[in-house]
CSV table of all heavy atoms in Angstrom, one decimal:
chain,number,residue,atom,x,y,z
A,33,SER,N,21.8,47.0,127.3
A,33,SER,CA,21.5,46.9,128.7
A,33,SER,C,22.1,48.0,129.5
A,33,SER,O,23.3,48.3,129.5
A,33,SER,CB,22.1,45.6,129.2
A,33,SER,OG,22.0,45.6,130.7
A,34,ALA,N,21.2,48.7,130.3
A,34,ALA,CA,21.6,49.8,131.1
A,34,ALA,C,22.2,49.3,132.4
A,34,ALA,O,22.7,50.1,133.3
A,34,ALA,CB,20.5,50.7,131.4
A,35,ASP,N,22.2,48.0,132.6
A,35,ASP,CA,22.7,47.4,133.9
A,35,ASP,C,24.2,47.4,134.0
A,35,ASP,O,24.8,47.1,135.0
A,35,ASP,CB,22.2,46.0,134.1
A,35,ASP,CG,20.7,45.9,134.1
A,35,ASP,OD1,20.1,46.9,134.4
A,35,ASP,OD2,20.2,44.8,133.9
A,36,TRP,N,24.8,47.7,132.9
A,36,TRP,CA,26.3,47.8,132.8
A,36,TRP,C,26.7,49.2,132.5
A,36,TRP,O,27.0,49.5,131.3
A,36,TRP,CB,26.8,46.8,131.8
A,36,TRP,CG,26.4,45.3,132.1
A,36,TRP,CD1,25.3,44.7,131.8
A,36,TRP,CD2,27.2,44.4,132.8
A,36,TRP,NE1,25.3,43.4,132.3
A,36,TRP,CE2,26.5,43.2,132.9
A,36,TRP,CE3,28.5,44.5,133.4
A,36,TRP,CZ2,27.0,42.1,133.6
A,36,TRP,CZ3,29.0,43.4,134.1
A,36,TRP,CH2,28.2,42.2,134.2
A,37,PRO,N,26.9,50.0,133.5
A,37,PRO,CA,27.3,51.4,133.3
A,37,PRO,C,28.8,51.5,132.9
A,37,PRO,O,29.5,50.5,132.9
A,37,PRO,CB,27.1,52.1,134.6
A,37,PRO,CG,27.1,51.0,135.6
A,37,PRO,CD,26.7,49.7,134.9
A,38,ASP,N,29.2,52.7,132.6
A,38,ASP,CA,30.6,53.0,132.3
A,38,ASP,C,31.5,52.5,133.4
A,38,ASP,O,31.2,52.6,134.6
A,38,ASP,CB,30.7,54.6,132.1
A,38,ASP,CG,32.1,55.0,131.7
A,38,ASP,OD1,32.7,54.3,130.9
A,38,ASP,OD2,32.5,56.1,132.1
A,39,PHE,N,32.6,51.9,133.0
A,39,PHE,CA,33.6,51.3,134.0
A,39,PHE,C,33.0,50.1,134.8
A,39,PHE,O,33.3,49.9,135.9
A,39,PHE,CB,34.2,52.4,134.9
A,39,PHE,CG,35.7,52.3,135.0
A,39,PHE,CD1,36.5,52.9,134.0
A,39,PHE,CD2,36.3,51.5,135.9
A,39,PHE,CE1,37.9,52.8,134.0
A,39,PHE,CE2,37.7,51.3,136.0
A,39,PHE,CZ,38.5,52.0,135.0
A,40,SER,N,32.2,49.3,134.1
A,40,SER,CA,31.8,48.0,134.7
A,40,SER,C,33.0,47.1,134.4
A,40,SER,O,33.6,47.1,133.4
A,40,SER,CB,30.6,47.5,134.0
A,40,SER,OG,29.4,48.2,134.3
A,41,VAL,N,33.2,46.2,135.3
A,41,VAL,CA,34.4,45.3,135.3
A,41,VAL,C,34.0,43.8,135.5
A,41,VAL,O,33.2,43.5,136.4
A,41,VAL,CB,35.4,45.7,136.4
A,41,VAL,CG1,36.6,44.7,136.4
A,41,VAL,CG2,35.8,47.1,136.2
A,42,VAL,N,34.5,42.9,134.6
A,42,VAL,CA,34.3,41.5,134.8
A,42,VAL,C,35.7,40.9,135.0
A,42,VAL,O,36.6,41.2,134.2
A,42,VAL,CB,33.6,40.9,133.6
A,42,VAL,CG1,33.6,39.4,133.7
A,42,VAL,CG2,32.2,41.4,133.5
A,43,VAL,N,35.9,40.0,135.9
A,43,VAL,CA,37.2,39.5,136.2
A,43,VAL,C,37.2,38.0,136.5
A,43,VAL,O,36.2,37.5,137.1
A,43,VAL,CB,37.9,40.3,137.3
A,43,VAL,CG1,37.2,40.2,138.6
A,43,VAL,CG2,39.4,39.9,137.5
A,44,THR,N,38.2,37.3,136.1
A,44,THR,CA,38.3,35.9,136.5
A,44,THR,C,39.8,35.5,136.6
A,44,THR,O,40.7,36.2,136.1
A,44,THR,CB,37.7,34.9,135.5
A,44,THR,OG1,37.6,33.6,136.0
A,44,THR,CG2,38.4,34.9,134.1
A,45,ASP,N,40.1,34.4,137.4
A,45,ASP,CA,41.4,33.8,137.3
A,45,ASP,C,41.4,32.4,136.7
A,45,ASP,O,42.3,31.6,136.9
A,45,ASP,CB,42.1,33.8,138.7
A,45,ASP,CG,41.2,33.2,139.8
A,45,ASP,OD1,40.0,32.8,139.4
A,45,ASP,OD2,41.6,33.2,140.9
A,46,ASN,N,40.3,32.2,136.0
A,46,ASN,CA,40.1,30.9,135.3
A,46,ASN,C,39.4,31.1,134.0
A,46,ASN,O,38.2,30.8,133.8
A,46,ASN,CB,39.4,29.9,136.2
A,46,ASN,CG,39.4,28.5,135.5
A,46,ASN,OD1,40.1,28.3,134.5
A,46,ASN,ND2,38.7,27.6,136.1
A,47,GLN,N,40.1,31.7,133.0
A,47,GLN,CA,39.5,31.9,131.7
A,47,GLN,C,39.9,30.8,130.7
A,47,GLN,O,41.1,30.5,130.6
A,47,GLN,CB,40.1,33.3,131.1
A,47,GLN,CG,39.5,33.6,129.7
A,47,GLN,CD,39.9,35.0,129.3
A,47,GLN,OE1,39.1,35.9,129.3
A,47,GLN,NE2,41.1,35.2,128.9
A,48,THR,N,38.9,30.1,130.2
A,48,THR,CA,39.2,28.8,129.5
A,48,THR,C,39.3,29.0,128.0
A,48,THR,O,39.7,28.1,127.3
A,48,THR,CB,38.1,27.8,129.8
A,48,THR,OG1,36.8,28.4,129.5
A,48,THR,CG2,38.2,27.4,131.3
A,49,ALA,N,38.8,30.1,127.4
A,49,ALA,CA,38.8,30.3,126.0
A,49,ALA,C,39.1,31.7,125.6
A,49,ALA,O,38.4,32.4,124.9
A,49,ALA,CB,37.5,29.9,125.3
A,50,GLY,N,40.3,32.2,126.2
A,50,GLY,CA,40.7,33.6,126.0
A,50,GLY,C,41.0,33.9,124.5
A,50,GLY,O,41.6,33.0,123.8
A,51,ARG,N,40.7,35.1,124.1
A,51,ARG,CA,40.9,35.5,122.7
A,51,ARG,C,41.9,36.6,122.6
A,51,ARG,O,42.0,37.5,123.4
A,51,ARG,CB,39.6,35.9,122.1
A,51,ARG,CG,38.5,34.8,122.0
A,51,ARG,CD,37.3,35.3,121.3
A,51,ARG,NE,36.5,36.3,122.0
A,51,ARG,CZ,36.4,37.6,121.6
A,51,ARG,NH1,37.0,38.0,120.5
A,51,ARG,NH2,35.7,38.4,122.3
A,52,GLY,N,42.8,36.5,121.6
A,52,GLY,CA,43.7,37.5,121.3
A,52,GLY,C,43.2,38.3,120.1
A,52,GLY,O,42.1,38.2,119.7
A,53,ARG,N,44.1,39.2,119.6
A,53,ARG,CA,43.7,40.0,118.4
A,53,ARG,C,43.7,39.1,117.2
A,53,ARG,O,44.3,38.1,117.2
A,53,ARG,CB,44.7,41.2,118.3
A,53,ARG,CG,44.6,42.2,119.4
A,53,ARG,CD,45.6,43.3,119.2
A,53,ARG,NE,47.0,42.9,119.1
A,53,ARG,CZ,47.8,43.2,118.1
A,53,ARG,NH1,47.4,44.0,117.1
A,53,ARG,NH2,49.0,42.7,118.0
A,54,LEU,N,43.0,39.6,116.2
A,54,LEU,CA,43.0,38.9,114.9
A,54,LEU,C,42.7,37.4,115.0
A,54,LEU,O,43.4,36.6,114.4
A,54,LEU,CB,44.3,39.1,114.1
A,54,LEU,CG,44.8,40.6,114.0
A,54,LEU,CD1,46.2,40.7,113.5
A,54,LEU,CD2,43.8,41.4,113.1
A,55,ASP,N,41.8,37.0,115.8
A,55,ASP,CA,41.3,35.6,116.0
A,55,ASP,C,42.4,34.7,116.6
A,55,ASP,O,42.3,33.5,116.4
A,55,ASP,CB,40.8,35.0,114.7
A,55,ASP,CG,39.5,35.6,114.4
A,55,ASP,OD1,38.7,36.0,115.3
A,55,ASP,OD2,39.2,35.8,113.2
A,56,ARG,N,43.4,35.3,117.3
A,56,ARG,CA,44.4,34.4,117.9
A,56,ARG,C,43.9,34.0,119.3
A,56,ARG,O,42.9,34.5,119.8
A,56,ARG,CB,45.7,35.1,118.0
A,56,ARG,CG,46.4,35.3,116.6
A,56,ARG,CD,47.8,35.9,116.6
A,56,ARG,NE,47.7,37.3,117.0
A,56,ARG,CZ,48.1,38.3,116.2
A,56,ARG,NH1,48.8,38.1,115.1
A,56,ARG,NH2,48.0,39.5,116.6
A,57,VAL,N,44.7,33.1,119.9
A,57,VAL,CA,44.3,32.5,121.1
A,57,VAL,C,45.1,33.1,122.2
A,57,VAL,O,46.3,33.3,122.1
A,57,VAL,CB,44.5,31.0,121.1
A,57,VAL,CG1,44.3,30.4,122.5
A,57,VAL,CG2,43.6,30.3,120.1
A,58,TRP,N,44.4,33.4,123.4
A,58,TRP,CA,45.2,33.9,124.6
A,58,TRP,C,45.1,32.8,125.6
A,58,TRP,O,44.0,32.4,126.0
A,58,TRP,CB,44.6,35.2,125.1
A,58,TRP,CG,45.3,35.6,126.4
A,58,TRP,CD1,44.9,35.5,127.7
A,58,TRP,CD2,46.6,36.3,126.5
A,58,TRP,NE1,45.8,36.0,128.5
A,58,TRP,CE2,46.9,36.5,127.8
A,58,TRP,CE3,47.5,36.7,125.5
A,58,TRP,CZ2,48.0,37.1,128.2
A,58,TRP,CZ3,48.7,37.3,125.9
A,58,TRP,CH2,48.9,37.5,127.3
A,59,GLU,N,46.2,32.2,126.0
A,59,GLU,CA,46.2,31.0,126.8
A,59,GLU,C,46.4,31.4,128.3
A,59,GLU,O,47.2,32.3,128.6
A,59,GLU,CB,47.3,30.1,126.4
A,59,GLU,CG,47.1,29.4,125.1
A,59,GLU,CD,48.1,28.4,124.7
A,59,GLU,OE1,48.7,27.8,125.6
A,59,GLU,OE2,48.3,28.2,123.5
A,60,ALA,N,45.7,30.7,129.2
A,60,ALA,CA,45.8,30.9,130.6
A,60,ALA,C,45.6,29.6,131.3
A,60,ALA,O,44.8,28.8,131.0
A,60,ALA,CB,44.8,32.0,131.0
A,61,ARG,N,46.4,29.4,132.4
A,61,ARG,CA,46.2,28.3,133.3
A,61,ARG,C,45.2,28.6,134.4
A,61,ARG,O,45.4,29.7,135.0
A,61,ARG,CB,47.5,27.8,133.9
A,61,ARG,CG,48.5,27.4,132.8
A,61,ARG,CD,48.7,25.9,132.9
A,61,ARG,NE,49.5,25.5,131.8
A,61,ARG,CZ,50.1,24.3,131.7
A,61,ARG,NH1,50.0,23.5,132.7
A,61,ARG,NH2,50.8,24.0,130.6
Side-chain angles (χ1 to χ4, degrees):
S33 167
D35 297 341
W36 296 87
D38 187 31
F39 228 86
S40 291
V41 178
V42 171
V43 62
T44 188
D45 50 2
N46 187 6
Q47 180 172 255
T48 55
R51 296 185 294 111
R53 295 178 304 127
L54 307 169
D55 288 330
R56 288 184 291 237
V57 172
W58 179 258
E59 289 186 30
R61 298 249 169 166

